[in-house]
Amino acid sequence: MDAVEKTPGLVDVAAAAGVSLSTVSRVITGRTPVSERTRIRVMDAVERLGYRPNAAAQALVSGRSSTVAVIAKNTLRWGYAATLQGIEEEARAAGYTVMIAVVESSEPEELGRATDLVWSQSLAGAIVIDFDAVGSATMAALPHNIPVVAASGARSDGMGRPHAFLDDLEGGRTATEYLLSLGHETVHHVAIPATSEHSGREWGWRQALTASGSSIPPVIRASYHPESGYEAARQLPPDATAVLCGNDELAIGVARFLQENGRRVPVDVSVMGFDDQPFAAMWVPALSTVRQDFVDLGRRTFGLLLQWIQGGEVPPDSTASPRLVIRESTAHPPNTRS
């Protein structure tokens, strides 16, 4: 059996050039001057051996890690997974490796695992996906010895660390204003769990109803899943004509309950989702929603971290506006049609 060919490393280059490992590092990084004769010897050895620096070697010669940690409560749900995709794509393009850690609760033991990860690994920085109360607790628990940035749905005080935002508040307000513009007297809200007293989506909904002088119905609390939307719809009053849901999954649960109980969407009740998940356009009727670009959020979040790592200064926050996607699940209320 043929022997597996060994990939040349820094030690091999140093031996071939007859110099120390630190001299090879100085030549490759170019940060510390060496004699022209020594530089030529090292570069000749690099060429002869076919040496190509990998991420670990670059970390060795530069004194910087090429690994970033991403800490999240969930990696399967649409928003989390798409944000992770954006982070990983941008990190790979910049030559960084991504390490993912799941922190399932805000219990001290779980938060301690996140803190231990940051302390025990040689990291360039860390990203927290701050979509939930666990994310917010993780941000507060992490030490300040490395750059930490967050991907977040709504604006917050930032805890002194930069955030890339999806402007949930603007999305909630815009969606509610649209439903009111169709002629609905008010809009009911089936809400996802919030990181604080109210989610940004709920604040936007409240702001739009207050600005229009419309009545503000009690919020119906739900989780993230279609089944939760289905059960939440039981609390809608019989005269409800418009519902803004905290995500698309709740919206399909609400729509299913309404249709099974003799109320047509959108003929009798308009249903608006949030996020524009891939299935939203395929649902019958196709779901009107608020489009959030989670992949772009991940890219922007890593961009903030990279600015901090390379520039040494805390960058400003980054935000992007969501946009309405109008499909078939929203219409004028019944009493405005001829």
Side-chain angles (χ1 to χ4, degrees):
M1 181 182 295
D2 294 336
V4 177
E5 185 176 350
K6 178 178 178 289
T7 301
L10 286 174
V11 173
D12 302 305
V13 173
V19 299
S20 68
L21 184 61
S22 61
T23 297
V24 175
S25 299
R26 289 197 294 271
V27 171
I28 291 176
T29 62
R31 292 184 300 160
T32 305
V34 298
S35 70
E36 182 63 13
R37 181 179 176 184
T38 299
R39 190 191 69 79
I40 290 173
R41 285 170 60 190
V42 170
M43 295 311 296
D44 281 348
V46 166
E47 186 65 27
R48 232 176 26 250
L49 295 173
Y51 168 75
R52 295 293 181 269
N54 57 27
Q58 288 172 335
L60 174 62
V61 300
S62 68
R64 292 182 177 180
S65 172
S66 60
T67 301
V68 298
V70 180
I71 304 170
K73 180 184 178 182
N74 190 296
T75 59
L76 299 177
R77 298 195 59 77
W78 162 248
Y80 295 83
T83 302
L84 280 169
Q85 176 187 336
I87 292 170
E88 196 279 330
E89 288 176 354
E90 202 72 3
R92 180 157 28 94
Y96 283 76
T97 301
V98 173
M99 173 191 302
I100 299 172
V102 175
V103 177
E104 296 180 340
S105 77
S106 55
E107 293 297 320
E109 183 178 350
E110 278 288 294
L111 295 178
R113 289 202 308 110
T115 302
D116 290 345
L117 171 70
V118 171
W119 279 115
S120 64
Q121 301 293 326
S122 177
L123 298 175
I127 292 172
V128 176
I129 299 185
D130 187 13
F131 289 170
D132 47 59
V134 172
S136 297
T138 302
M139 283 292 289
L142 289 181
H144 287 264
N145 64 314
I146 66 167
V148 177
V149 303
S152 183
R155 292 183 179 274
S156 69
D157 60 15
M159 302 179 190
R161 287 163 165 159
H163 281 55
F165 296 103
L166 291 170
D167 199 337
D168 275 3
L169 189 148
E170 181 184 341
R173 181 174 59 230
T174 302
T176 305
E177 289 172 347
Y178 168 72
L179 291 168
L180 293 173
S181 75
L182 294 176
H184 297 279
E185 293 184 0
T186 191
V187 177
H188 294 261
H189 184 42
V190 177
I192 58 172
T195 57
S196 57
E197 183 181 0
H198 306 293
S199 70
R201 304 172 190 200
E202 184 179 333
W203 277 119
W205 166 79
R206 287 180 181 277
Q207 285 186 3
L209 292 179
T210 299
S212 69
S214 303
S215 62
I216 302 178
V219 175
I220 302 173
R221 306 289 174 189
S223 66
Y224 298 98
H225 308 287
E227 296 85 358
S228 180
Y230 185 94
E231 292 302 317
R234 298 181 187 278
Q235 300 179 48
L236 289 170
D239 60 349
T241 64
V243 186
L244 170 63
C245 299
N247 68 14
D248 295 330
E249 293 173 78
L250 291 181
I252 66 170
V254 168
R256 179 64 178 262
F257 177 87
L258 291 171
Q259 291 166 336
E260 286 185 357
N261 287 273
R263 306 198 69 193
R264 298 162 297 172
V265 177
V267 177
D268 301 314
V269 185
S270 289
V271 176
M272 173 76 71
F274 214 105
D275 290 339
D276 197 24
Q277 296 191 39
F279 63 75
M282 296 295 102
W283 182 253
V284 179
L287 194 62
S288 294
T289 187
V290 179
R291 177 170 294 167
Q292 304 258 63
D293 193 339
F294 288 101
V295 174
D296 176 69
L297 174 66
R299 291 173 179 153
R300 288 190 288 114
T301 306
F302 183 82
L304 291 180
L305 183 61
L306 191 62
Q307 287 180 53
W308 193 347
I309 293 169
Q310 294 182 340
E313 295 183 359
V314 179
D317 292 340
S318 168
T319 189
S321 297
R323 69 181 184 87
L324 284 180
V325 179
I326 306 305
R327 297 193 178 103
E328 300 167 355
S329 67
T330 51
H332 298 281
N335 60 0
T336 64
R337 302 190 193 108
S338 55

